[in-house]
Amino acid sequence: MGVVRSRARVAALVAVWSVVGALGCHEKPKASASEQYPIRGVVERTDAAGGHVVLKHEAVPGLMEAMTMSYPVMDPAALSEMHPGDRIAAVVLADKTAQGPTHLRLKDVVIIAQAKPDYLPAVQYHVPAPGDLVPNFKLLNQAGKTVDLKGFRGKVVLLTFIYTRCALPDYCPRMSKNFAEIEAQLAKDEAVYRETHLLSVSFDPEFDTPKVLKTYGAAYTGHYGREDFAHWDFAAPPKDELPRVEQFFAVGVTPGDAGSLQHSMSTVIIGKDGKVVAFYPSNDWSVAAVLDAVKQAAKA
């Protein structure tokens, strides 16, 4: 287990590992279904023999504060690709028990930044930073029309990633509900509304056809057959363009069971000049905070 740098972190770590330690000495309490949380951090060291990684990670909303601790990695192949200093995005699974969360382990690990070039993988993920010029990616929207990001210049674009089959309420459905709330709030200010646009991008272009995206989008806008999508597009890049889109916006996607896709999160505010204003790499951003940031960018 790595170094913990504050009393608050120590308390959180003790709370988590007191459950783990207790289970090592007594009968394991009955656990309900595992809960999933997005996690990001920097690899401190790996233990291939033990199947663990020591990760210095950011706060995991709903689970724990930022800290450094050891996690079992479910996929040995993923563990073999990690090196000290690498930055990763993953999903941490936690079993719920009467005593609290237990059996913490990582799955769906995506290496989004490498510490050294001598072990760079074939795929490199760019982490969007304020001032980065967004490439002019082309997308096919819900009307079957090809749009490109340059076409939104002059407006502030709030962009997020989803896929319509996502069944996890805290992932794509949460992003779409948040966007629906932001859409409704922006519509109350005509001046700001004219200066902004929402864009939900699917990373599942084979399934998320224009027809599927239109039905999905209308369900969130609440207008159904009356929706003109004038202010909020639902679109997907062509299959051959998808890897570049994922890499630029730091969206790691891997196939899951029964056609599901395991993925990281990415929400970006793009300014009127086509440059990144803000990047939100998880699902813990608040509607109020992002709405305020969009409004400020629109007035700039």
Side-chain angles (χ1 to χ4, degrees):
M1 184 163 52
V3 177
V4 181
R5 300 185 182 276
S6 72
R7 291 183 180 178
R9 292 182 179 181
V10 170
L13 188 57
V14 169
V16 171
W17 282 100
S18 63
V19 177
V20 177
L23 296 182
C25 302
H26 305 288
E27 182 180 356
K28 185 175 181 179
K30 185 177 180 180
S32 63
S34 299
E35 292 194 339
Q36 304 186 60
Y37 305 85
I39 188 171
R40 289 190 178 224
V42 176
V43 174
E44 295 275 299
R45 62 180 181 274
T46 60
D47 175 10
H52 288 71
V53 60
V54 176
L55 186 66
K56 182 178 181 180
H57 62 77
E58 301 164 6
V60 182
L63 183 63
M64 68 180 80
E65 294 185 5
M67 63 178 66
T68 301
M69 61 183 288
S70 179
Y71 291 92
V73 179
M74 298 174 66
D75 181 4
L79 186 65
S80 69
E81 293 295 324
M82 288 186 274
H83 302 84
D86 289 352
R87 183 168 176 79
I88 69 169
V91 173
V92 58
L93 296 181
D95 293 343
K96 292 177 62 179
T97 70
Q99 289 80 10
T102 187
H103 191 207
L104 305 184
R105 66 273 192 201
L106 299 185
K107 72 168 189 172
D108 304 329
V109 176
V110 177
I111 300 171
I112 57 176
Q114 295 291 310
K116 295 182 179 180
D118 56 341
Y119 39 72
L120 292 178
V123 176
Q124 278 289 290
Y125 290 88
H126 164 264
V127 178
D132 287 350
L133 182 64
V134 179
N136 189 32
F137 294 122
K138 296 185 184 301
L139 310 165
L140 187 67
N141 73 4
Q142 71 288 324
K145 178 183 176 182
T146 297
V147 297
D148 57 53
L149 294 187
K150 194 173 182 179
F152 296 112
R153 292 283 177 87
K155 293 188 176 183
V156 174
V157 176
L158 179 60
L159 179 153
T160 198
F161 286 85
I162 53 95
Y163 79 108
T164 64
R165 293 183 289 174
C166 184
L168 298 176
D170 274 344
Y171 280 68
C172 304
R174 179 171 175 174
M175 295 301 97
S176 295
K177 288 177 182 177
N178 284 354
F179 265 46
E181 188 172 344
I182 289 173
E183 168 74 5
Q185 292 298 320
L186 288 174
K188 296 178 180 179
D189 187 331
E190 185 177 346
V192 174
Y193 200 67
R194 288 197 305 265
E195 300 289 323
T196 56
H197 196 84
L198 272 57
L199 182 57
S200 293
V201 179
S202 170
F203 42 76
D204 188 16
E206 290 189 281
F207 184 87
D208 288 342
T209 62
K211 182 178 179 180
V212 171
L213 289 171
K214 184 175 182 179
T215 301
Y216 177 89
Y220 281 98
T221 64
H223 297 303
Y224 300 97
R226 298 178 289 108
E227 176 57 71
D228 60 9
F229 298 96
H231 191 261
W232 184 1
D233 273 285
F234 293 79
K239 187 177 179 180
D240 58 355
E241 182 85 336
L242 180 61
R244 290 184 60 241
V245 174
E246 292 176 348
Q247 289 160 31
F248 181 83
F249 289 106
V251 181
V253 182
T254 56
D257 298 328
S260 66
L261 297 173
Q262 306 294 341
H263 61 91
S264 60
M265 312 294 291
S266 178
T267 300
V268 181
I269 299 175
I270 303 171
K272 296 177 183 179
D273 57 359
K275 295 180 180 179
V276 173
V277 173
F279 170 54
Y280 305 90
S282 67
N283 63 351
D284 63 343
W285 53 266
S286 72
V287 167
V290 171
L291 180 62
D292 183 64
V294 169
K295 288 181 176 180
Q296 291 300 318
K299 295 174 182 177

